[in-house]
Amino acid sequence: LRIPFDGNILSLHVKDRTHSFLPVGTPFAEVENTGTVTAQIDITESDIQHVKVGAAVRARPSAWFNDEFEGKVTLIDRNVTQKSFGNVIRVIATFDNKDGRLITGMAGQAKVEATTMPVWQAFTQAIWRFVRVHLWAWIP
């Protein structure tokens, strides 16, 4: 058997399947394509308006804290997830991994390119959000 890409075999005990027959549709092994890596990034609900598909992403995995990996936002999830600190929306980013250093399940930090704005506007966003959402809700 051959896979059409460079990758890793994730299934354990593959040698135990040699010289045996598998029922039709039964997978022989699980493999992953290591050429590109997909990362899941949680963005707070209040900041998702600034993130666009195609935006640049810089990531720094804990294992490679001296290196920065560059990727792109490929998908913005349509579901909102509740966390202890508020609602988040998952953003999917894709990174090139030709050297194979990024591994499934790694953790780290990421920065997503957002819309640019003057400094005064960035620092007053929370105030404007409070006025436009919370105060607006109180007014009959």
Side-chain angles (χ1 to χ4, degrees):
L1 296 173
R2 292 174 35 142
I3 56 174
F5 54 81
D6 291 334
N8 292 327
I9 298 175
L10 301 177
S11 300
L12 298 176
H13 308 292
V14 174
K15 288 184 180 182
D16 295 343
R17 293 185 176 238
T18 58
H19 305 296
S20 63
F21 292 98
L22 297 174
V24 175
T26 304
F28 175 74
E30 284 185 61
V31 295
E32 69 177 349
N33 183 351
T34 57
T36 58
V37 171
T38 302
Q40 299 175 357
I41 305 164
D42 289 340
I43 305 289
T44 57
E45 183 179 19
S46 58
D47 291 333
I48 199 67
Q49 65 180 326
H50 304 295
V51 178
K52 306 287 183 233
V53 172
V57 179
R58 295 179 295 142
R60 190 166 280 179
S62 300
W64 303 103
F65 58 88
N66 285 327
D67 297 330
E68 197 170 84
F69 295 85
E70 296 181 5
K72 296 268 186 216
V73 172
T74 54
L75 178 71
I76 299 173
D77 196 1
R78 305 299 303 164
N79 297 313
V80 176
T81 306
Q82 292 182 348
K83 298 280 185 168
S84 60
F85 55 87
N87 293 342
V88 295
I89 297 170
R90 184 160 288 157
V91 171
I92 306 297
T94 304
F95 295 87
D96 189 29
N97 190 33
K98 289 184 179 145
D99 57 7
R101 293 190 298 165
L102 298 174
I103 300 170
T104 301
M106 281 184 156
Q109 300 293 319
K111 295 182 179 184
V112 179
E113 178 184 65
T115 55
T116 55
M117 63 184 74
V119 174
W120 65 267
Q121 186 179 2
F123 284 110
T124 59
Q125 288 250 319
I127 297 168
W128 284 112
R129 186 177 306 112
F130 177 78
V131 169
R132 291 185 170 175
V133 176
H134 298 289
L135 284 183
W136 176 83
W138 298 343
I139 298 171

